[in-house]
Amino acid sequence: MNGPRYHDRPAPSANLQTMVLGALGIVFGDIGTSPLYTLKTVLTLSGGGLDQTVVLGILSLLFWTLILTTSIKYVTVAMRIDNDGEGGILALMSLLGVKQRRRPVIVAVGLFGAALIYGDGAITPAISVLSALEGLNIVWPSLSSYVPPICILILFMLFMVQSQGTARIGKLFGPIMTTWFLAIALLGLRGILMRPSVLWAINPLYAFRYLVSSPGAFLVLGGVFLCVTGAEALYADMGHLGARPIRMAWSGLVFPALILSYAGQAALVLSGTNISDNIFFRLCPEPLLLPMVLLATVATIIASQSIITGAFSMTRQAIQLGWMPRMKIVQTSEQGFGQIYVGPVNWILMTVTISLAVWFGKSDNLAAAYGIAVSATMLMTSILLFIAMRDILRWPLVGAGAVSLVFCTIDAAFFVANLQKVTEGGYVPLVLAVAVYCVMLIWHLGSEAVMARIQDSAVPIAEFVRRIKEHGIARVPGSAVFLTRTVRDAPPVMVWHVKHNRALHDKVIILTVVTESVPRIRGPSRLSVQEISPGFWRLMARIGFMERPNVPLLVSQSKSLGCDVDLSDVTYYVGHETIVPRKGHEGFPRFVEGIYAAMQRNCAQLTDYLRLPPDQVVEIGREIAI
């Protein structure tokens, strides 16, 4: 049998201009709203006097961080490495740790990196919306006490509308974010005209001198890192839009707007403007201040929406790859594959995000907890990129090593600098990440243990067919499809069915759905059929980790491959395992077995996941000790 043939998704019909606009609305929300709080946080961490050396040194750090981390590492290098069009740390893990060859260490690194993204993903909506609303403190200082409640209300409404989908309002995201970037660029230019000397910060010597001469300057990197916290999204969202539109949007608008905004804020600091509150809004002329606060609030909501959608997408990937329990995934738009809703993830994120907004109260306080998880993820991505440069791009060892050394040194510096935040709130995303990683690990190990137990009692298919003939098992009219994870032996659910019912249908299909370590599979290799005996077929279906299986459709397609079944009279048989502890001290520790059993009991129905018609399904249960 020929191996599977992998294909990128078909080229989108939308023109490049539309895709660039879409990238502005989907990809750049997080990194695009970072000027609201980054410079203020960095200046607070610097502690000392804000003379020209300090301010230009900090601005130079911001400038070169954006260039080295975002422009070079992600936009130039990482986006050249994709798993059949998909990017992000999970796709990279699948490409290097599974598809190329089995590498458990790479899989562990990739999974923990993904878990860390969940941790910081819960903080992003809270810090973004809070920082935008804090502009009200300048417009109406008397409203400062109302900022946290308004933030909570906005966050609550944001999570509540997720189940309805965002396809309609999503069309406005691109134009709104384009307006946002143009606005912050113009405001930044206004600030630069007050103090053009800030442009000297383009010289990296200012950053170097600041780092080596200022006491505690290294710890300031924890605040500087906030300017690139959304860079990982550029890579992760590559599958939605392609690399070219993202690169064009970044180079043509986003990067220049960010640089102008940071430079304008730095010029404001040097001019002696009061910066006790939000520096960003001090750039805005007073008559335009309220509209700018409203625009900033909408931009942060869009940024939060991108984070939530990204969490849904990553959850789907993890489920398909076998690292998370099945959850009900609702497609909220027929046009957009990425428009999905995952209820449990939505409610957990809402609870954590609102709790963080209540607990920390101000964006300055939340900044202390922000960044440590993403900096760790970026460091792990750099390590994986070195392997990808060697295995995928075929770079020589010296070249790949030199480039990776630069990336890893920068990311390690940011990570170490962010470690100071652990006691100040940085433990929050780390605790969340560890919890998510434990869930993924326990589910995967438990599923493998269940599979091993099933294999222990497996009956070879040839022997099963022989038994049917020897014992004169009745073949009754109708068609049956037995779902199984085994690829060679008789499905345990079919063995049990024949043992207790003493009969088998005239037409039988044994169906195994295998999720490959690629996003999508197209072409003839998607389905393969083997006729075991007359009226008895084994159907192997391969899908990508970005696809959801549709068993009735697969069975229908199998008719063209020789499966002569009556689609109007098909019964689907699925197994349902109940986990029970092993006797004695064998098997999993009791608490691990208990956690896995609880997840297994509460995961989404397999029949829903496989899109089986409810009135044509027979579930056969049994107990399995792990």
Side-chain angles (χ1 to χ4, degrees):
M1 182 176 62
N2 293 330
R5 218 169 63 214
Y6 307 112
H7 298 265
D8 290 342
R9 67 181 67 190
S13 58
N15 60 44
L16 186 60
Q17 183 180 356
T18 302
M19 295 179 69
V20 170
L21 192 64
L24 289 170
I26 296 172
V27 176
F28 296 104
D30 190 3
I31 198 170
T33 52
S34 58
L36 285 165
Y37 49 81
T38 297
L39 187 61
K40 169 71 175 182
T41 302
V42 175
L43 294 178
T44 301
L45 290 173
S46 66
L50 300 180
D51 56 25
Q52 182 164 315
T53 302
V54 172
V55 174
L56 291 183
I58 289 172
L59 180 59
S60 185
L61 282 172
L62 292 170
F63 177 76
W64 284 100
T65 297
L66 285 167
I67 288 180
L68 294 173
T69 299
T70 309
S71 294
I72 296 179
K73 175 184 171 182
Y74 283 101
V75 175
T76 303
V77 177
M79 292 180 72
R80 294 180 61 192
I81 304 164
D82 64 272
N83 190 347
D84 291 290
E86 292 292 330
I89 194 164
L90 268 183
L92 193 60
M93 176 209 77
S94 300
L95 175 66
L96 302 176
V98 182
K99 183 178 175 182
Q100 291 288 311
R101 56 180 181 267
R102 299 285 174 177
R103 290 163 161 169
V105 175
I106 289 179
V107 171
V109 169
L111 287 174
F112 193 65
L116 286 165
I117 293 175
Y118 282 101
D120 255 11
I123 298 179
T124 297
I127 191 174
S128 299
V129 176
L130 268 176
S131 59
L133 291 173
E134 283 168 358
L136 291 174
N137 297 338
I138 301 175
V139 182
W140 294 304
S142 59
L143 293 179
S144 59
S145 60
Y146 293 95
V147 168
I150 295 173
C151 175
I152 292 168
L153 179 62
I154 290 174
L155 291 173
F156 178 76
M157 293 176 63
L158 174 66
F159 284 100
M160 288 299 293
V161 302
Q162 293 304 310
S163 61
Q164 305 303 313
T166 57
R168 292 181 181 176
I169 61 172
K171 295 177 181 178
L172 300 174
F173 287 0
I176 291 173
M177 291 308 297
T178 301
T179 304
W180 166 256
F181 286 117
L182 291 174
I184 67 173
L186 290 173
L187 291 179
L189 189 59
R190 179 174 182 262
I192 292 171
L193 293 176
M194 298 178 187
R195 197 83 174 225
S197 61
V198 294
L199 296 177
W200 285 111
I202 195 173
N203 186 343
L205 287 176
Y206 283 95
F208 178 75
R209 289 169 185 164
Y210 173 72
L211 285 175
V212 299
S213 62
S214 299
F218 180 76
L219 298 180
V220 171
L221 291 177
V224 171
F225 180 75
L226 296 178
C227 76
V228 291
T229 49
E232 188 77 21
L234 306 183
Y235 189 31
D237 286 329
M238 185 171 63
H240 293 292
L241 297 156
R244 190 181 177 195
I246 294 175
R247 287 184 176 127
M248 290 181 67
W250 170 256
S251 303
L253 180 58
V254 180
F255 178 63
L258 293 176
I259 292 301
L260 289 173
S261 180
Y262 287 124
Q265 293 180 57
L268 211 61
V269 175
L270 289 177
S271 65
T273 303
N274 177 22
I275 59 168
S276 58
D277 43 35
N278 196 304
I279 304 173
F280 174 85
F281 288 107
R282 288 291 177 185
L283 280 172
C284 191
E286 191 169 340
L288 299 177
L289 194 52
L290 183 57
M292 193 63 197
V293 171
L294 295 176
L295 178 60
T297 303
V298 175
T300 56
I301 291 173
I302 292 173
S304 303
Q305 177 62 54
S306 300
I307 290 293
I308 296 167
T309 302
F312 292 162
S313 180
M314 191 161 62
T315 300
R316 174 168 54 187
Q317 292 185 39
I319 291 171
Q320 292 288 76
L321 290 168
W323 289 97
M324 271 194 178
R326 291 186 307 274
M327 301 180 203
K328 185 176 181 181
I329 298 174
V330 179
Q331 194 77 34
T332 59
S333 170
E334 294 180 359
Q335 285 75 39
F337 181 79
Q339 291 288 331
I340 60 174
Y341 171 72
V342 186
V345 175
N346 185 66
W347 302 127
I348 292 172
L349 275 179
M350 183 184 79
T351 302
V352 174
T353 300
I354 292 178
S355 299
L356 290 172
V358 172
W359 180 260
F360 288 94
K362 293 175 61 180
S363 62
D364 289 352
N365 299 335
L366 260 172
Y370 195 40
I372 185 168
V374 172
S375 63
T377 300
M378 287 186 172
L379 179 58
M380 293 176 183
T381 300
S382 293
I383 295 171
L384 295 182
L385 283 177
F386 168 72
I387 301 170
M389 289 174 201
R390 297 283 294 139
D391 290 2
I392 309 300
L393 299 181
R394 304 297 181 185
W395 286 12
L397 179 61
V398 174
V403 173
S404 297
L405 180 62
V406 173
F407 292 160
C408 288
T409 300
I410 295 171
D411 291 336
F414 282 132
F415 177 67
V416 173
N418 272 297
L419 286 177
Q420 66 172 322
K421 300 180 179 181
V422 171
T423 58
E424 302 172 12
Y427 61 86
V428 173
L430 293 179
V431 168
L432 290 172
V434 170
V436 171
Y437 184 73
C438 287
V439 166
M440 291 193 291
L441 189 61
I442 290 173
W443 178 259
H444 188 72
L445 293 177
S447 299
E448 285 193 333
V450 169
M451 188 62 186
R453 294 290 291 167
I454 291 174
Q455 293 287 5
D456 288 344
S457 57
V459 177
I461 190 66
E463 182 180 340
F464 177 78
V465 173
R466 180 178 55 79
R467 288 182 188 177
I468 290 177
K469 295 176 180 178
E470 287 182 354
H471 296 121
I473 299 298
R475 302 298 294 270
V476 298
S479 302
V481 176
F482 291 91
L483 282 300
T484 181
R485 283 172 285 187
T486 61
V487 295
R488 289 182 302 274
D489 301 314
V493 65
M494 185 170 66
V495 174
W496 190 97
H497 170 72
V498 171
K499 178 180 178 181
H500 292 276
N501 294 318
R502 306 291 180 181
L504 189 62
H505 295 70
D506 268 340
K507 307 291 177 62
V508 175
I509 290 179
I510 300 172
L511 174 59
T512 302
V513 180
V514 178
T515 301
E516 301 283 359
S517 57
V518 293
R520 294 164 189 83
I521 296 178
R522 300 287 184 265
S525 61
R526 184 177 176 85
L527 279 177
S528 61
V529 172
Q530 175 192 2
E531 187 170 12
I532 299 169
S533 65
F536 210 129
W537 300 273
R538 180 181 292 279
L539 178 61
M540 180 75 70
R542 293 180 172 86
I543 64 170
F545 62 75
M546 291 294 287
E547 298 178 284
R548 181 184 169 192
N550 186 333
V551 167
L553 179 61
L554 293 171
V555 173
S556 174
Q557 292 170 345
S558 71
K559 282 185 67 69
S560 63
L561 299 176
C563 290
D564 183 22
V565 295
D566 182 1
L567 298 177
S568 64
D569 185 25
V570 173
T571 303
Y572 299 92
Y573 289 85
V574 297
H576 178 77
E577 296 90 14
T578 299
I579 307 303
V580 296
R582 281 194 181 188
K583 296 179 181 179
H585 299 287
E586 295 182 358
F588 280 18
R590 287 297 172 89
F591 78 95
V592 175
E593 177 272 325
I595 294 172
Y596 176 76
M599 289 192 289
Q600 200 265 354
R601 286 194 303 270
N602 291 284
C603 67
Q605 291 291 322
L606 183 62
T607 52
D608 293 336
Y609 174 71
L610 298 174
R611 308 190 200 187
L612 298 176
D615 57 347
Q616 293 177 249
V617 177
V618 174
E619 258 192 36
I620 297 177
R622 60 177 179 161
E623 292 185 345
I624 292 184
I626 61 172

